[in-house]
Amino acid sequence: MRWIWLDGFTAFESGVKARSIKNLSLAEDHFAQHFPGYPLMPAALIIEGLAQTGGILVGEKLDFKEKVVLGKVLKARFDRDFLAGETLEYEAEIIMVRPEGSTVIGRVFCEGKLEAEVEIFFAHLGPSWSKSEAAGGAGDDNFVFSSELRSFINQARRLDAQAKKAKAAAN
Amino acid sequence: MASQDEIFQKVSATLVEALNVDEDEIRPTSTLTGDLGAESIDFLDIVFRLEREFGIKIPREELFPEVAEGNNPEFMQDGVVTPKGIEELKRAMPFADFNDFEKDPRMTEFSNLFTVKMITNYIQDKLARGGR
């Protein structure tokens, strides 16, 4: 089963902030049961999308040498329900990164309006001695930054490079 | 310099946030895991919150040391910490109260050393040394 709860990054500022997008499609299986006639996106899956956005942000800051795992949801506030057909924008901002763990604040925007805010604590499981990590981080034998996420990681790095280039040109 | 009572109040407020418990559940003798329901991930969260609350740095394993069970027969035998092991623990955790643990030094009782009073003592000592 694929466990990816975002569709792609839209902005990435290394070590600071990232934005991603999630289209809520009625084709997603969970909407059939959650709930019949009222396709409500489960808050837990929104938190997972924010954690994936923030986890890649933190992981990239640490060169993917640590496994960044959602440890605890410190705070969560949802102002409304999110239904199939809507497009959510996730934003993750780093509050603190330490060798043992990190904290990010995740925000959900819909049509430009802030609709939910979640504070997430990640535990760092330490460097693994897997081949893919030795070769530079993500890969099939890294259960957090798996090859499934590789396209996102490449996309994030591309966006970061573009933003840096634009900033340099503006200066 | 903050008094022990002021430190206790701030530690309590930190634990209310971190463990989602009521303030009146928190007593100096409360154990973090047994009485307040802390899980392993909460210990790291508590450390980070205390650092922010008191403006101090808490090095890894200084407040909540991890003890590798059964690694050294000098320190532990059949799940019971030896007198030598207790001396080692006292050196690693000078802010903990070992009275009860010395009476029943089974490793399963180790987590009961982590009390609210232990955190308060640690912070008081840390602040007295200028946060170092």
Side-chain angles (χ1 to χ4, degrees):
Chain A
M1 181 188 169
R2 287 163 64 81
W3 191 251
I4 293 180
W5 293 99
L6 50 94
D7 293 335
F9 280 92
T10 54
F12 198 92
E13 195 182 341
S14 177
V16 182
K17 198 187 271 193
R19 280 182 92 103
S20 65
I21 199 163
K22 169 67 187 157
N23 294 298
L24 305 184
S25 164
L26 201 53
E28 291 170 32
D29 283 345
H30 55 90
F31 284 126
Q33 298 298 322
H34 196 277
F35 295 94
Y38 191 72
L40 170 70
M41 181 65 172
L45 293 180
I46 293 177
I47 291 175
E48 179 63 28
L50 288 168
Q52 291 183 352
T53 307
I56 290 175
L57 179 68
V58 171
E60 194 271 343
K61 185 178 165 67
L62 302 169
D63 291 328
F64 299 105
K65 287 185 176 140
E66 297 277 348
K67 288 190 174 71
V68 179
V69 177
L70 195 164
K72 192 169 168 181
V73 176
L74 303 174
K75 277 181 198 162
R77 195 201 77 231
F78 285 78
D79 294 340
R80 69 169 176 88
D81 292 347
F82 300 101
L83 303 176
E86 293 190 293
T87 296
L88 308 184
E89 264 195 287
Y90 296 153
E91 182 181 87
E93 189 177 349
I94 289 179
I95 305 291
M96 174 209 68
V97 177
R98 288 268 305 266
E100 315 92 295
S102 50
T103 312
V104 302
I105 184 130
R107 302 183 184 95
V108 180
F109 296 86
C110 195
E111 295 179 352
K113 192 174 171 220
L114 177 66
E115 302 279 16
E117 208 162 63
V118 179
E119 211 175 308
I120 298 170
F121 173 73
F122 293 109
H124 301 168
L125 297 190
S128 101
W129 314 110
S130 64
K131 275 182 272 171
S132 60
E133 285 203 351
D140 285 331
D141 48 351
N142 182 329
F143 74 93
V144 178
F145 299 115
S146 63
S147 50
E148 247 186 359
L149 292 180
R150 187 174 284 155
S151 64
F152 286 150
I153 293 166
N154 291 338
Q155 188 185 34
R157 284 178 167 151
R158 232 177 11 252
L159 285 164
D160 184 49
Q162 279 169 11
K164 281 191 177 114
K165 208 168 157 186
K167 207 170 173 180
N171 290 336
Chain B
M1 177 71 188
S3 70
Q4 189 161 36
D5 192 47
E6 284 168 333
I7 295 170
F8 174 75
Q9 295 304 330
K10 278 189 176 185
V11 169
S12 291
T14 302
L15 295 175
V16 165
E17 285 276 314
L19 303 176
N20 201 21
V21 290
D22 288 334
E23 202 164 351
D24 54 15
E25 288 179 61
I26 300 175
R27 293 183 177 77
T29 52
S30 304
T31 60
L32 298 191
T33 43
D35 296 329
L36 303 178
E39 294 178 21
S40 58
I41 195 73
D42 295 318
F43 284 88
L44 203 48
D45 180 27
I46 291 167
V47 165
F48 288 169
R49 286 175 191 268
L50 291 172
E51 285 190 342
R52 265 185 287 177
E53 182 63 41
F54 291 97
I56 55 174
K57 272 263 168 258
I58 302 177
R60 200 171 192 159
E61 295 203 19
E62 189 175 85
L63 177 57
F64 302 122
E66 279 174 32
V67 176
E69 281 188 51
N71 273 358
N72 188 341
E74 260 193 287
F75 297 150
M76 196 170 353
Q77 280 168 13
D78 300 326
V80 177
V81 182
T82 62
K84 199 168 178 185
I86 291 177
E87 288 314 306
E88 273 301 301
L89 285 174
K90 280 183 177 174
R91 256 195 291 278
M93 304 166 68
F95 31 84
D97 180 353
F98 280 82
N99 279 336
D100 289 342
F101 188 69
E102 280 178 305
K103 287 175 202 151
D104 182 7
R106 282 176 299 156
M107 202 53 219
T108 48
E109 300 301 305
F110 175 70
S111 67
N112 289 335
L113 290 170
F114 299 143
T115 62
V116 179
K117 180 80 162 60
M118 185 204 82
I119 299 177
T120 309
N121 289 346
Y122 172 83
I123 301 281
Q124 193 172 29
D125 177 63
K126 196 90 179 163
L127 292 176
R129 289 188 284 117
R132 282 169 294 150

